[in-house]
Coordinates of all heavy atoms in Angstrom, one line a residue:
V52 N -9.9 17.1 -8.8 CA -10.4 17.9 -7.6 C -10.0 19.3 -7.8 O -8.8 19.6 -7.7 CB -10.0 17.3 -6.3 CG1 -10.5 18.2 -5.1 CG2 -10.4 15.9 -6.1
P53 N -10.9 20.3 -8.0 CA -10.5 21.7 -8.1 C -10.3 22.2 -6.7 O -11.0 21.8 -5.7 CB -11.8 22.3 -8.7 CG -12.9 21.4 -8.4 CD -12.3 20.0 -8.3
V54 N -9.3 23.1 -6.5 CA -9.0 23.7 -5.2 C -9.0 25.2 -5.3 O -8.7 25.7 -6.4 CB -7.7 23.1 -4.7 CG1 -7.7 21.6 -4.4 CG2 -6.5 23.5 -5.6
E55 N -9.2 25.8 -4.2 CA -9.1 27.3 -4.1 C -8.7 27.6 -2.7 O -8.6 26.7 -1.8 CB -10.5 27.9 -4.5 CG -11.6 27.5 -3.6 CD -12.9 28.1 -4.0 OE1 -13.0 28.8 -5.0 OE2 -13.9 27.9 -3.3
A56 N -8.5 28.9 -2.4 CA -8.1 29.3 -1.1 C -9.0 28.8 0.0 O -10.3 28.9 -0.1 CB -8.1 30.8 -1.0
G57 N -8.5 28.1 1.0 CA -9.2 27.5 2.0 C -9.5 26.0 1.9 O -9.9 25.3 2.8
T58 N -9.3 25.5 0.7 CA -9.5 24.0 0.4 C -8.5 23.2 1.2 O -7.3 23.6 1.3 CB -9.4 23.7 -1.0 OG1 -10.3 24.4 -1.8 CG2 -9.6 22.2 -1.3
L59 N -8.9 22.2 1.8 CA -8.1 21.3 2.6 C -8.1 19.9 2.0 O -9.1 19.4 1.6 CB -8.6 21.2 4.1 CG -7.7 20.5 5.1 CD1 -6.5 21.5 5.4 CD2 -8.5 20.3 6.4
L60 N -6.9 19.3 1.8 CA -6.8 18.0 1.2 C -6.0 17.0 2.1 O -5.1 17.4 2.7 CB -6.0 18.1 -0.1 CG -6.6 18.9 -1.3 CD1 -5.6 19.2 -2.3 CD2 -7.8 18.1 -1.9
L61 N -6.6 15.8 2.2 CA -6.0 14.8 3.0 C -5.6 13.6 2.1 O -6.3 13.1 1.3 CB -7.0 14.3 4.0 CG -7.3 15.1 5.3 CD1 -7.8 16.5 4.9 CD2 -8.3 14.4 6.2
F62 N -4.3 13.1 2.4 CA -3.8 12.0 1.6 C -3.3 10.9 2.5 O -2.4 11.2 3.4 CB -2.7 12.4 0.7 CG -3.1 13.4 -0.4 CD1 -2.7 14.8 -0.2 CD2 -3.8 13.1 -1.5 CE1 -3.1 15.7 -1.2 CE2 -4.2 14.0 -2.4 CZ -3.9 15.3 -2.3
P63 N -3.8 9.7 2.4 CA -3.2 8.6 3.2 C -2.0 8.1 2.5 O -1.6 8.5 1.4 CB -4.3 7.5 3.0 CG -4.9 7.8 1.7 CD -4.9 9.3 1.5
P64 N -1.2 7.2 3.2 CA 0.0 6.6 2.5 C -0.4 5.9 1.3 O -1.5 5.3 1.2 CB 0.5 5.7 3.6 CG 0.0 6.2 4.9 CD -1.4 6.8 4.6
Y65 N 0.4 5.9 0.3 CA 0.3 5.2 -1.0 C -0.8 5.7 -1.9 O -1.1 5.0 -2.9 CB 0.1 3.7 -0.7 CG 1.0 3.1 0.4 CD1 0.5 2.7 1.6 CD2 2.4 3.0 0.1 CE1 1.4 2.2 2.6 CE2 3.2 2.5 1.1 CZ 2.7 2.1 2.3 OH 3.6 1.6 3.3
E66 N -1.3 6.9 -1.7 CA -2.4 7.4 -2.5 C -1.7 8.3 -3.6 O -1.1 9.3 -3.4 CB -3.4 8.3 -1.8 CG -4.5 8.9 -2.6 CD -5.5 7.8 -3.0 OE1 -5.9 7.0 -2.1 OE2 -5.9 7.8 -4.2
P67 N -1.9 7.9 -4.9 CA -1.2 8.6 -6.0 C -1.9 10.0 -6.2 O -3.1 10.1 -6.3 CB -1.4 7.7 -7.2 CG -2.6 6.9 -6.9 CD -2.6 6.7 -5.4
H68 N -1.1 11.0 -6.4 CA -1.7 12.3 -6.6 C -0.6 13.3 -7.3 O 0.6 13.0 -7.2 CB -2.2 12.9 -5.3 CG -1.1 13.1 -4.3 ND1 -0.7 12.1 -3.5 CD2 -0.4 14.2 -3.9 CE1 0.2 12.5 -2.7 NE2 0.4 13.8 -2.9
I69 N -1.1 14.3 -7.9 CA -0.3 15.4 -8.4 C -1.2 16.6 -8.5 O -2.4 16.5 -8.6 CB 0.4 15.0 -9.7 CG1 1.6 16.0 -10.0 CG2 -0.6 15.0 -10.9 CD1 2.7 15.9 -9.1
A70 N -0.6 17.8 -8.6 CA -1.4 19.0 -8.7 C -0.8 20.0 -9.7 O 0.4 19.9 -10.1 CB -1.5 19.7 -7.4
M71 N -1.6 20.9 -10.2 CA -1.2 22.0 -11.1 C -2.0 23.2 -10.8 O -3.1 23.2 -10.3 CB -1.3 21.6 -12.5 CG -2.8 21.4 -13.0 SD -2.9 20.9 -14.8 CE -2.4 22.5 -15.5
A72 N -1.3 24.4 -11.0 CA -2.0 25.7 -10.8 C -2.8 26.0 -12.0 O -2.6 25.6 -13.1 CB -0.9 26.8 -10.6
D73 N -3.9 26.8 -11.8 CA -4.7 27.2 -12.8 C -4.2 28.6 -13.3 O -4.2 29.6 -12.5 CB -6.2 27.4 -12.4 CG -6.9 26.0 -12.2 OD1 -6.2 25.0 -12.6 OD2 -8.0 26.0 -11.7
G74 N -3.8 28.7 -14.6 CA -3.4 29.9 -15.1 C -2.1 30.4 -14.6 O -1.3 29.7 -13.9
E75 N -1.7 31.6 -14.9 CA -0.4 32.2 -14.6 C -0.4 32.8 -13.2 O 0.7 33.1 -12.6 CB 0.0 33.3 -15.6 CG 0.2 32.7 -17.0 CD 1.3 31.6 -17.0 OE1 2.3 31.8 -16.3 OE2 1.1 30.6 -17.8
R76 N -1.6 33.0 -12.6 CA -1.6 33.6 -11.3 C -1.0 32.8 -10.2 O -0.4 33.3 -9.2 CB -3.1 33.9 -10.9 CG -3.3 34.6 -9.6 CD -4.8 34.7 -9.3 NE -5.0 35.3 -7.9 CZ -6.1 35.4 -7.4 NH1 -7.2 35.1 -8.0 NH2 -6.3 35.9 -6.1
G77 N -1.0 31.5 -10.4 CA -0.3 30.6 -9.4 C -1.3 30.2 -8.3 O -2.4 30.7 -8.1
C78 N -0.8 29.2 -7.5 CA -1.5 28.7 -6.4 C -0.6 28.3 -5.3 O 0.3 27.5 -5.6 CB -2.3 27.4 -6.9 SG -3.4 26.7 -5.7
R79 N -0.7 28.8 -4.1 CA 0.2 28.6 -3.0 C -0.4 27.7 -2.0 O -1.5 27.9 -1.6 CB 0.6 30.0 -2.4 CG 1.7 29.9 -1.4 CD 2.2 31.3 -1.1 NE 1.1 32.2 -0.6 CZ 0.9 32.4 0.7 NH1 1.7 31.8 1.7 NH2 0.0 33.2 1.1
F80 N 0.3 26.7 -1.6 CA -0.1 25.7 -0.7 C 0.8 25.6 0.5 O 2.0 25.8 0.4 CB -0.2 24.3 -1.3 CG -1.5 23.8 -1.7 CD1 -2.2 24.3 -2.9 CD2 -2.2 22.9 -0.9 CE1 -3.4 23.8 -3.2 CE2 -3.5 22.5 -1.2 CZ -4.1 23.0 -2.4
A81 N 0.3 25.2 1.7 CA 1.0 24.7 2.8 C 0.8 23.2 2.9 O -0.3 22.7 2.9 CB 0.6 25.4 4.1
F82 N 1.9 22.5 3.0 CA 1.8 21.0 3.1 C 2.4 20.5 4.4 O 3.4 21.1 4.9 CB 2.6 20.3 1.9 CG 1.9 20.5 0.6 CD1 2.3 21.4 -0.3 CD2 0.8 19.7 0.3 CE1 1.7 21.5 -1.6 CE2 0.1 19.8 -0.9 CZ 0.6 20.7 -1.9
V83 N 1.8 19.5 5.0 CA 2.3 18.8 6.2 C 2.5 17.4 5.9 O 1.6 16.7 5.5 CB 1.4 19.0 7.3 CG1 2.0 18.4 8.6 CG2 1.0 20.5 7.6
Y84 N 3.7 16.9 6.0 CA 4.0 15.4 6.0 C 4.1 15.0 7.4 O 4.8 15.6 8.2 CB 5.3 15.1 5.2 CG 5.4 15.5 3.8 CD1 6.6 15.5 3.1 CD2 4.2 15.7 3.0 CE1 6.7 15.8 1.7 CE2 4.3 16.0 1.7 CZ 5.5 16.0 1.0 OH 5.6 16.3 -0.3
F85 N 3.6 13.8 7.7 CA 3.8 13.3 9.0 C 3.6 11.8 9.1 O 2.9 11.2 8.2 CB 2.8 14.0 10.0 CG 1.4 13.7 9.8 CD1 0.7 12.7 10.6 CD2 0.6 14.3 8.9 CE1 -0.6 12.4 10.4 CE2 -0.7 14.1 8.7 CZ -1.4 13.1 9.5
S86 N 4.2 11.2 10.1 CA 4.1 9.7 10.3 C 3.0 9.5 11.5 O 2.8 10.4 12.3 CB 5.4 9.2 10.8 OG 5.3 7.9 11.3
E87 N 2.5 8.3 11.5 CA 1.6 8.0 12.6 C 2.2 8.0 13.9 O 1.5 8.2 15.0 CB 1.0 6.6 12.4 CG 2.0 5.4 12.4 CD 1.3 4.1 12.2 OE1 0.1 4.0 11.8 OE2 2.0 3.1 12.6
E88 N 3.6 7.9 14.0 CA 4.3 8.0 15.2 C 4.2 9.4 15.9 O 4.5 9.6 17.0 CB 5.8 7.7 15.1 CG 6.1 6.2 15.0 CD 5.7 5.6 13.7 OE1 5.6 6.4 12.7 OE2 5.4 4.4 13.6
L89 N 3.6 10.4 15.1 CA 3.4 11.7 15.7 C 2.4 11.6 16.8 O 2.4 12.5 17.7 CB 2.9 12.6 14.6 CG 2.6 14.1 15.0 CD1 3.9 14.8 15.3 CD2 1.9 14.8 13.8
F90 N 1.5 10.7 16.8 CA 0.4 10.5 17.8 C 0.8 9.3 18.7 O 1.4 8.3 18.3 CB -0.9 10.3 17.1 CG -1.3 11.4 16.2 CD1 -1.7 11.2 14.9 CD2 -1.4 12.7 16.7 CE1 -2.0 12.2 14.1 CE2 -1.8 13.8 15.8 CZ -2.1 13.5 14.5
Q91 N 0.3 9.4 19.9 CA 0.4 8.3 20.8 C -0.5 7.1 20.3 O -1.5 7.4 19.6 CB 0.0 8.7 22.2 CG 0.9 9.7 22.9 CD 2.3 9.2 23.1 OE1 2.5 8.1 23.5 NE2 3.3 10.1 22.8
P92 N -0.1 5.9 20.6 CA -0.9 4.7 20.1 C -2.4 4.9 20.4 O -3.3 4.5 19.6 CB -0.3 3.5 20.8 CG 1.1 3.9 21.0 CD 1.1 5.4 21.3
E93 N -2.8 5.4 21.6 CA -4.2 5.5 21.9 C -4.9 6.6 21.2 O -6.2 6.6 21.2 CB -4.3 5.7 23.5 CG -3.7 7.0 23.9 CD -2.3 6.9 24.4 OE1 -1.6 5.9 24.0 OE2 -1.8 7.7 25.2
D94 N -4.2 7.4 20.5 CA -4.8 8.5 19.7 C -4.8 8.2 18.2 O -5.3 9.1 17.5 CB -4.0 9.8 20.0 CG -4.2 10.3 21.4 OD1 -5.3 10.1 22.0 OD2 -3.2 11.0 21.9
R95 N -4.3 7.1 17.8 CA -4.1 6.9 16.3 C -5.5 6.6 15.6 O -5.5 6.5 14.4 CB -3.1 5.8 16.1 CG -1.7 6.3 16.4 CD -0.6 5.3 16.2 NE 0.6 5.8 16.8 CZ 1.7 5.1 17.0 NH1 1.7 3.8 16.7 NH2 2.8 5.6 17.5
Y96 N -6.5 6.3 16.4 CA -7.8 6.2 15.7 C -8.2 7.5 15.0 O -9.1 7.6 14.1 CB -8.9 5.9 16.8 CG -9.3 7.0 17.7 CD1 -10.3 7.9 17.5 CD2 -8.5 7.2 18.9 CE1 -10.6 8.9 18.3 CE2 -8.8 8.2 19.8 CZ -9.9 9.1 19.5 OH -10.2 10.1 20.4
L97 N -7.5 8.6 15.4 CA -7.8 9.9 14.8 C -7.3 10.0 13.4 O -7.6 10.9 12.6 CB -7.1 11.0 15.6 CG -7.7 11.3 17.0 CD1 -6.9 12.3 17.8 CD2 -9.2 11.8 16.9
L98 N -6.6 8.9 12.9 CA -6.1 8.9 11.5 C -7.2 8.3 10.6 O -7.0 8.2 9.4 CB -4.9 8.0 11.4 CG -3.6 8.6 12.1 CD1 -2.5 7.5 12.1 CD2 -3.2 9.9 11.5
R99 N -8.4 8.0 11.1 CA -9.5 7.5 10.2 C -9.8 8.5 9.1 O -10.1 8.0 8.0 CB -10.7 7.2 11.1 CG -10.6 6.0 11.9 CD -11.8 5.8 12.8 NE -11.6 4.7 13.7 CZ -12.4 4.5 14.8 NH1 -13.5 5.3 15.0 NH2 -12.2 3.4 15.6
P100 N -9.7 9.8 9.3 CA -10.0 10.6 8.1 C -9.0 10.4 6.9 O -9.3 10.8 5.8 CB -9.8 12.1 8.7 CG -10.0 11.9 10.1 CD -9.5 10.6 10.5

Side-chain angles (χ1 to χ4, degrees):
V52 179
V54 298
E55 60 183 6
T58 300
L59 193 69
L60 293 165
L61 281 60
F62 297 104
Y65 313 114
E66 182 73 47
H68 60 279
I69 196 63
M71 63 179 290
D73 288 353
E75 296 301 321
R76 181 182 175 186
C78 185
R79 188 165 60 96
F80 256 81
F82 288 103
V83 183
Y84 294 165
F85 68 98
S86 164
E87 66 179 14
E88 281 74 26
L89 183 66
F90 302 123
Q91 295 298 318
E93 63 268 21
D94 293 327
R95 289 177 190 169
Y96 71 93
L97 294 172
L98 294 173
R99 286 177 188 167

